[in-house]
Amino acid sequence: MKRLLMLVPLLLAGLAFWYFELARRIDEAAVRDYYNEQMQAYYRFDGDWFCSSMTDDYEVVEITYTGKQRKDERLNKAESCKRTRETVAELVEIRDAKIGLPLPSWTIEVKNIEVSDDRHSATVQAEGRMTVGARDLGVTKWTERLIRRNGRVFSERSNSTAWVEE
């Protein structure tokens, strides 16, 4: 029994080290896995995945150019989730309408990953392109701060600029 009681502090120390250090470390592979999961969620029409991948204090600053018009927005998690779910619902409507409209495809190219010295966050520069067939619908470039908690990657904030075709 004494031996077991002596192991408890070691076990607790190990769990604390995992929780506060190992489960919070992020690297390039974790970032690339995050974007692969994002692509899979897009093609599954899984708006909930996007919302669950944002921290509670998530914030996005978006600049959108449509023709000569510019729209600037700052959204928190709730607002961003609402918009994401609406977009996914629109895509599902297009898919289910069966009127021959092709669904937009989305590709992401990670341009740069900068992992912080403590390996608890990464700043990512990326570019996404939405197309239907050979036609570009829009391009988005963004810088995103990712963190890792309990072994899962989350987006903490993002700054994006999008150019949308009319």
Side-chain angles (χ1 to χ4, degrees), residues 21-126:
E21 184 56 36
L22 296 180
R24 293 176 183 247
R25 285 188 187 165
I26 195 167
D27 57 18
E28 287 193 25
V31 169
R32 292 188 189 285
D33 288 347
Y34 170 82
Y35 286 110
N36 286 334
E37 288 177 40
Q38 192 176 85
M39 293 301 300
Q40 291 171 16
Y42 174 80
Y43 287 108
R44 281 192 319 265
F45 306 102
D46 187 355
D48 291 337
W49 182 93
F50 289 94
C51 294
S52 72
S53 72
M54 299 174 199
T55 60
D56 290 339
D57 59 347
Y58 175 79
E59 181 179 75
V60 60
V61 175
E62 295 179 345
I63 300 170
T64 305
Y65 294 95
T66 306
K68 293 182 181 181
Q69 294 183 350
R70 175 182 163 147
K71 183 176 181 182
D72 294 53
E73 294 182 282
R74 180 180 301 266
L75 304 172
N76 62 25
K77 179 179 180 173
E79 295 161 334
S80 188
C81 281
K82 182 177 185 259
R83 177 172 296 164
T84 299
R85 287 186 173 115
E86 288 169 352
T87 300
V88 168
E90 289 171 4
L91 290 170
V92 168
E93 281 182 35
I94 292 169
R95 179 198 67 194
D96 292 347
K98 296 184 173 55
I99 55 175
L101 289 176
L103 288 172
S105 64
W106 176 252
T107 57
I108 296 174
E109 182 182 354
V110 175
K111 301 287 191 175
N112 186 49
I113 301 170
E114 188 175 310
V115 177
S116 66
D117 290 340
D118 67 3
R119 295 178 49 191
H120 287 186
S121 67
T123 301
V124 182
Q125 293 175 332

